[in-house]
Amino acid sequence: MSQQRRPLIAGNWKMNGLAAAAAEEIAELRRLLKEKETPACDVLICPPATLIAALAAAARGSSIAIGGQDCHANASGAHTGDIAAEMLKDAGATHCIVGHSERRADHGETNAIVKAKAEAALRAGLTVLVCVGETLAERDGGKTLSVISDQVKNSLPQVASAATTVIAYEPVWAIGTGKTPTPEDVAAVHAHIRAELKALMNDSEAVRILYGGSVKGSNAAELMAVENVDGALVGGASLKAADFWPIIETVI
Ligand code: 13P
């Protein structure tokens, strides 16, 4: 954690959440956040697209931001089932995740596609969270840092800046498995990402680099204390305010 970068704790609800229960979770999160006068971190929830408008309304006036989980590279057109970044923005989103490993794996998204989506998100005025991370085979093969370099260099838009771009390091093998890298391993990858960013951006020191993959209340403090870890991207433990709050509490 660093003094110069405001932590961001983001929840990725993936394909989970129906309207009534989701609104209750936001209300509960609002209540918990209100107990802190000025929370020293940003809080973001990325629900399924069907809930963005309702949750943006439920979060209005609070410090909770709402984001999308993916966007199309184009602003409109014949792309059945897809959602443009402009539409996310129109529904009340301020952020968008791109390049999540589940999108890369399930939908064949390459770095080039991720980059085009990130550019679209920035064009629409959204803050973009670009995900990177190695598979278990890549880690076991000693390729972690080269895979991360490749993803960072080729998924980030040229116009990326610290104000509008966040990197999320999510080792694929740590997502939903209960396994996490050691703090030393996280430190090594985050330092590597920081070094890569330096070659790509003028304000690389101000870019927030989140860790994601099996973050929960019981391991968040240890992970958030690692150098160059500026917050978390949380899946399962973000679905319930009661599970998400202890993670937020480690940085406020
Ligand atoms: P889990 O926290 O459920 O491991 O998911 C992490 C993730 O993929 C967030 O984007």
Side-chain angles (χ1 to χ4, degrees):
M1 200 60 68
S2 119
Q3 297 304 315
Q4 70 180 112
R5 294 181 292 267
R6 186 175 161 87
L8 168 62
I9 304 295
N12 173 10
W13 282 7
K14 308 190 180 183
M15 200 172 71
N16 297 290
L18 297 174
E24 274 174 36
E25 294 307 329
I26 296 296
E28 176 64 1
L29 207 50
R30 268 190 96 135
R31 195 187 61 71
L32 289 162
L33 277 164
K34 235 190 207 136
E35 287 172 8
K36 305 272 166 187
E37 288 283 294
T38 42
C41 77
D42 293 332
V43 175
L44 169 66
I45 295 287
C46 298
T50 48
L51 294 178
I52 288 174
L55 297 195
R60 198 156 296 138
S62 77
S63 53
I64 304 166
I66 302 296
Q69 298 176 8
D70 175 50
C71 65
H72 196 277
N74 294 354
S76 63
H79 304 289
T80 302
D82 277 320
I83 299 176
E86 283 78 1
M87 294 168 178
L88 297 174
K89 171 105 172 168
D90 189 47
T94 51
H95 294 65
C96 186
I97 298 170
V98 298
H100 191 282
S101 63
E102 287 151 17
R103 300 282 324 172
R104 290 179 186 261
D106 298 353
H107 300 268
E109 292 189 6
T110 60
N111 288 327
I113 292 172
V114 173
K115 182 177 180 176
K117 290 182 172 208
E119 285 167 349
L122 293 178
R123 262 198 321 269
L126 300 172
T127 294
V128 69
L129 284 74
V130 180
C131 300
V132 299
E134 82 286 1
T135 63
L136 188 57
E138 288 162 346
R139 174 156 286 264
D140 289 346
K143 295 193 190 125
T144 298
L145 297 184
S146 65
V147 166
I148 300 295
S149 288
D150 192 46
Q151 291 175 334
V152 169
K153 280 186 198 143
N154 297 306
S155 308
L156 271 189
Q158 220 92 66
V159 292
S161 75
T164 54
T165 307
V166 175
I167 309 288
Y169 168 54
E170 299 204 303
V172 178
W173 53 271
I175 294 176
T177 58
K179 292 183 192 146
T180 53
T182 63
E184 292 72 28
D185 286 340
V186 174
V189 175
H190 280 236
H192 186 74
I193 293 172
R194 180 81 56 209
E196 289 290 1
L197 292 177
K198 198 168 181 168
L200 299 171
M201 299 164 68
N202 293 329
D203 56 358
S204 59
E205 278 301 315
V207 175
R208 291 179 290 185
I209 307 174
L210 313 185
Y211 168 77
S214 295
V215 176
K216 37 187 189 276
S218 55
N219 61 19
E222 184 180 43
L223 289 163
M224 294 305 105
V226 173
E227 202 176 347
N228 281 309
V229 172
D230 307 306
L233 182 54
V234 185
S238 72
L239 294 172
K240 297 253 171 281
D243 296 328
F244 197 40
W245 183 248
I247 299 171
I248 295 171
E249 270 194 309
T250 64
V251 299
I252 58 178

